[in-house]
């Protein structure tokens, strides 16, 4: 972290210094013998020099550029820690208050030089497209044909929970006509649902300033190659009509209404809400060690330490407080941005994990996060020259874009948990559960004296339709605060009691250890069977339409 003072904090008040005693008549200073006109001329000249120097500094700062650093991925100049232009909300604004900061007004026109610097990486086009919203808040669920019915069953589940928000179903031309017709025919049950071809919009976005150059993809084939996969979630965020987006995966089972998430302190203070991924696989993805560097940087260390944020600083952001922890990663201390406390204390930055974030549920306010949204969109395009983070799919894009945007962002108060029916019950804080991810309502002080009583929110799993909760007992791990670190999976081995053939091998990441087991209650079991019933209902719609 930079050693300079936080530029978003007011300067300290000057200490009280006694005023010097006035000069007596017997003490005559040298300037007293100089004629007044000469003194005035000298003072005036000094004032002019100071004003000119200050103007040059101001122009250099507001240009948002760093000496010798015009590319996103380059070695940084010594001035790499300087904050750019004045497009930040004060870091103190809204901190400690349970209210959203005021959204940024959309910038319709930039200075010509700024416009050119932004559009060199298509950032101007992406910014404008992402801020072109027409509705306040909604759910975005990207789909493709294989999970389309599962997606509609989730829409029905959300409606049953009382979620009435409109739902966008972006796809890349891979939803059948039967599905689209069924979604329209059953609008009375589904509510406001808008399937649309996001690849069509991605193909249409062109840069006027660059002679009509494609921003995301030049042809339908290129779009399908790019966005029939993880990155559809990124372009879905850019082109969503909603200012406030709840991005959800279809393969999630909810046990708790998601509507209160908009009112969590995390979202209200930052316009973001993220959920943790497992602390595992330190040798992969973010954690893969770059052995050619003597300091053994991992992929995340290298990516962030060679990323130049200068062009981004022309866009507004919610300036965050300076980190208080030291950056202890040797070889990655010179950063072009002011790192957050969250980054410097994270498991991925400190080489304990190849993962940080699970993107199966994300809350994101595009009008509060214009800089981060623009960078997120740039990650979705292979044409911007902006390198993508070393992520498994899209999932790390959201928090890394927020980190490099020098904005506030927030995670759940809890670690990701585990769930499944393969367990080793050794008692509280000593057990193992193997299966899939579990997440909790993200606020530790959720009206309870025990912060660990936060309710189970959802499972993220491909096995929704395979569960038989009335025939087999399913368990999940009791919430653990995000500051808890139980240790590395590589230090644990599969106990024979689990019944795995690989007993004695390294414990897999799907088996969190030292947990407290909780069996699903009747209401939670019913939530699973109800979702399965809704899926069958959707299948009946599609079969009739065939």
């Amino acid at each position: 972290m930079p050693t300079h003072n936080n530029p978003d904090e007011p300067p300290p008040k000057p200490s009280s210094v006694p005023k010097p005693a006035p000069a007596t008549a017997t003490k005559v200073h040298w300037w007293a013998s100089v004629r007044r006109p000469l003194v005035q001329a000298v003072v005036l000249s000094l004032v002019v020099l100071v004003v000119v120097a200050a103007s040059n500094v101001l122009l250099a700062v507001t240009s948002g550029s760093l000496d010798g650093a015009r590319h996103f991925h380059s070695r940084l100049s010594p001035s790499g820690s300087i904050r750019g232009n004045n497009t930040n909300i004060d870091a103190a604004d809204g901190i400690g208050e349970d209210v959203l900061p005021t959204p940024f007004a959309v910038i319709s026109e930039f200075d010509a030089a700024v416009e050119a610097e932004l559009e060199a990486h298509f950032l101007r086009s992406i910014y404008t497209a992402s801020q072109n919203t027409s509705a306040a808040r909604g759910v975005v669920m990207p789909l493709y044909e294989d999970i389309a019915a599962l997606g509609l069953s989730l829409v029905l589940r959300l409606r049953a929970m009382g979620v009435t928000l409109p739902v966008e179903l972006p796809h890349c031309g891979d939803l059948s006509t039967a599905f689209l017709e069924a979604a329209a025919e059953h609008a009375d049950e589904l509510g406001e649902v808008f399937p649309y071809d996001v690849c069509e919009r991605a193909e249409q976005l062109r840069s006027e300033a660059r002679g009509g150059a494609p921003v995301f993809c030049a042809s339908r084939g290129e779009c399908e190659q790019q966005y029939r996969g993880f990155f559809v979630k990124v372009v879905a965020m850019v082109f969503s009509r909603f200012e406030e987006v709840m991005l959800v995966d279809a393969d999630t089972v909810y046990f708790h209404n998601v509507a209160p998430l908009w009112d969590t302190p995390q979202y209200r203070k930052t316009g973001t809400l993220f959920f943790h991924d497992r602390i595992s696989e330190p040798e992969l993805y973010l954690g893969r060690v770059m052995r050619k560097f003597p300091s053994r940087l991992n992929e995340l260390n290298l990516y962030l330490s060679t990323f130049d944020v200068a062009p981004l600083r022309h866009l507004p952001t919610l300036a965050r407080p300076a980190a208080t922890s030291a950056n202890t990663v040797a070889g990655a201390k010179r950063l072009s941005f002011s790192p957050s406390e969250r980054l410097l204390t994270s498991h991925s930055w400190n080489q304990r994990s190849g993962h940080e974030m699970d993107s199966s549920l994300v809350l994101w306010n595009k009008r509060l996060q214009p800089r981060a949204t623009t960078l997120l969109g740039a990650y979705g395009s292979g044409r911007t020259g902006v390198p993508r983070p070393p992520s498994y799919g899209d999932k790390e894009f959201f928090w890394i874009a927020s980190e490099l945007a020098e904005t506030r962002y927030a995670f759940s108060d809890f670690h990701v948990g585990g769930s499944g029916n393969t367990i080793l019950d050794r008692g509280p804080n000593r057990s193992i559960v193997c299966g899939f991810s579990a997440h909790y309502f993200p606020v530790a002080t959720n009206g309870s004296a025990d912060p660990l009583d936060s309710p189970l929110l959802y499972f993220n799993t491909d096995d929704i339709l395979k569960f038989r909760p009335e025939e087999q007992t399913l368990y999940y791990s009791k919430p653990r605060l995000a500051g808890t670190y139980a240790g590395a999976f590589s230090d644990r081995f599969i106990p024979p009691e689990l019944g795995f053939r690989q007993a004695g091998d390294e414990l897999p990441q799907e088996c969190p250890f030292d947990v407290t087991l909780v069996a699903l209650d009747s209401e939670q079991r019913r939530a699973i069977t109800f979702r399965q019933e809704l899926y069958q209902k959707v299948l009946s719609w599609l079969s009739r339409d065939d």
Side-chain angles (χ1 to χ4, degrees):
M1 116 123 217
T3 56
H4 57 72
N5 293 331
N6 181 4
D8 297 308
E9 294 178 353
K13 294 181 180 179
S15 57
S16 177
V17 179
K19 293 182 180 180
T24 63
T26 56
K27 278 194 174 181
V28 180
H29 295 285
W30 69 268
W31 61 81
S33 61
V34 180
R35 289 186 298 171
R36 185 176 300 273
L38 178 59
V39 173
Q40 292 175 340
V42 171
V43 170
L44 182 60
S45 299
L46 289 173
V47 169
V48 170
L49 289 173
V50 169
V51 169
V52 170
S55 299
N56 289 335
V57 170
L58 182 60
L59 285 172
V61 172
T62 55
S63 72
S65 62
L66 302 177
D67 293 339
R70 287 289 178 181
H71 302 288
F72 274 96
H73 223 239
S74 60
R75 286 296 172 186
L76 304 173
S77 68
S79 60
S81 62
I82 297 175
R83 235 179 234 281
N85 56 17
N86 188 22
T87 51
N88 305 318
I89 285 183
D90 190 336
D93 179 45
I95 292 291
E97 301 173 8
D98 195 19
V99 292
L100 275 173
T102 304
F104 292 99
V106 178
I107 303 172
S108 59
E109 188 174 338
F110 291 89
D111 175 84
V114 171
E115 179 102 17
E117 185 174 8
L118 288 171
E119 200 59 3
H121 303 282
F122 295 116
L123 298 181
R124 174 66 161 100
S125 293
I126 295 171
Y127 166 79
T128 301
S130 67
Q131 298 301 302
N132 183 23
T133 57
S134 58
R137 178 181 285 180
V139 176
V140 175
M141 187 193 313
L143 292 181
Y144 57 93
E145 185 63 25
D146 289 351
I147 62 168
L150 193 63
L152 281 193
S153 73
L154 179 52
V155 174
L156 291 174
R157 176 62 175 138
L158 293 175
R159 299 309 186 213
M161 286 180 166
V163 178
T164 60
L165 291 171
V167 178
E168 291 179 345
L169 303 175
H171 58 90
C172 196
D174 45 358
L175 293 181
S176 67
T177 302
F179 173 86
L180 297 174
E181 290 175 350
E185 181 180 344
H186 297 280
D188 55 335
E189 293 183 72
L190 293 169
E192 292 184 78
V193 173
F194 305 101
Y196 76 98
D197 189 338
V198 71
C199 279
E200 182 178 302
R201 298 192 187 180
E203 184 184 0
Q204 291 172 350
L205 185 61
R206 305 287 167 135
S207 170
E208 293 183 9
R210 293 178 58 176
V215 175
F216 286 101
C217 41
S219 66
R220 180 69 192 191
E222 183 186 346
C223 287
E224 292 178 358
Q225 184 178 15
Q226 284 280 329
Y227 305 120
R228 286 189 173 180
F230 289 118
F231 301 146
V232 69
K233 294 170 71 172
V234 178
V235 290
M237 182 71 78
V238 170
F239 290 104
S240 174
R241 74 195 73 186
F242 306 131
E243 285 186 18
E244 299 178 78
V245 173
M246 180 180 287
L247 183 66
V248 300
D249 282 0
D251 59 345
T252 46
V253 181
Y254 287 96
F255 302 96
H256 190 287
N257 193 343
V258 296
L261 296 176
W262 300 109
D263 296 320
T264 57
Q266 290 99 323
Y267 181 76
R268 293 188 66 81
K269 292 176 184 178
T270 71
T272 65
L273 175 59
F274 304 148
F275 290 83
H276 297 274
D277 204 349
R278 299 179 177 106
I279 307 170
S280 63
E281 298 185 319
E283 72 286 356
L284 298 176
Y285 308 112
L286 300 178
R288 189 169 71 92
V289 172
M290 309 303 290
R291 301 187 186 280
K292 64 182 179 180
F293 293 94
S295 54
R296 292 179 60 83
L297 299 179
N298 68 14
E299 289 269 19
L300 180 64
N301 302 149
L302 181 65
Y303 178 81
L304 294 182
S305 63
T306 57
F307 195 100
D308 176 21
V309 302
L312 293 168
R313 284 181 168 155
H314 299 300
L315 301 174
T317 201
L318 287 176
R320 61 189 175 222
T324 56
S325 297
N327 180 2
T328 60
V329 178
K333 292 182 179 291
R334 294 182 62 195
L335 305 173
S336 73
F337 61 98
S338 180
S340 69
E341 182 72 10
R342 176 72 183 69
L343 172 69
L344 296 184
T345 57
S346 68
H347 294 287
S348 54
W349 180 255
N350 290 289
Q351 305 185 351
R352 292 188 292 268
S353 181
H355 307 282
E356 197 71 35
M357 177 179 166
D358 180 345
S359 65
S360 56
L361 174 61
V362 176
L363 268 65
W364 186 279
N365 188 318
K366 298 201 293 181
R367 290 290 297 279
L368 277 178
Q369 297 290 352
R371 186 187 295 181
T373 305
T374 301
L375 180 54
L376 182 69
Y379 288 159
S381 170
R383 294 173 166 271
T384 61
V386 179
R388 288 170 175 161
S391 165
Y392 175 72
D394 66 283
K395 70 189 193 70
E396 313 291 354
F397 288 8
F398 299 88
W399 79 270
I400 292 178
S402 302
E403 181 64 35
L404 289 170
E406 299 175 294
T407 190
R408 307 176 214 162
Y409 61 97
F411 274 80
S412 168
D413 290 341
F414 299 104
H415 273 313
V416 60
S419 51
N421 59 2
T422 302
I423 64 166
L424 178 57
D425 190 351
R426 291 173 169 169
N429 301 315
R430 298 181 63 245
S431 299
I432 297 174
V433 56
C434 297
F436 38 87
S437 298
H439 292 283
Y440 316 93
F441 193 79
V443 183
T445 56
N446 189 36
S448 171
D450 183 357
L452 301 186
D453 281 343
S454 193
L456 180 66
L457 180 62
Y458 74 100
F459 290 162
N460 179 24
T461 173
D462 295 330
D463 293 336
I464 294 173
L465 304 176
K466 298 178 183 178
F467 294 142
R468 296 293 178 264
E470 300 307 327
E471 301 172 9
Q472 55 187 188
T473 304
L474 286 172
Y475 296 85
Y476 65 93
S477 56
K478 187 175 181 177
R480 291 191 288 192
L481 291 172
T484 307
Y485 179 50
F489 282 94
S490 58
D491 295 335
R492 302 297 180 106
F493 301 95
I494 299 173
E497 300 95 313
L498 278 176
F500 290 179
R501 284 181 295 179
Q502 303 93 338
D505 288 353
E506 180 181 314
L507 193 67
Q509 65 168 348
E510 293 81 10
C511 298
F513 53 88
D514 291 349
V515 303
T516 300
L517 297 175
V518 182
L520 264 64
D521 60 28
S522 59
E523 186 176 345
Q524 291 165 334
R525 294 195 301 271
R526 176 56 186 151
I528 294 175
T529 57
F530 183 47
R531 177 68 182 284
Q532 293 171 342
E533 292 166 4
L534 294 174
Y535 176 76
Q536 293 301 322
K537 183 176 186 175
V538 173
L539 288 184
S540 71
W541 294 351
L542 296 174
S543 63
R544 283 200 302 270
D545 290 334
D546 289 341

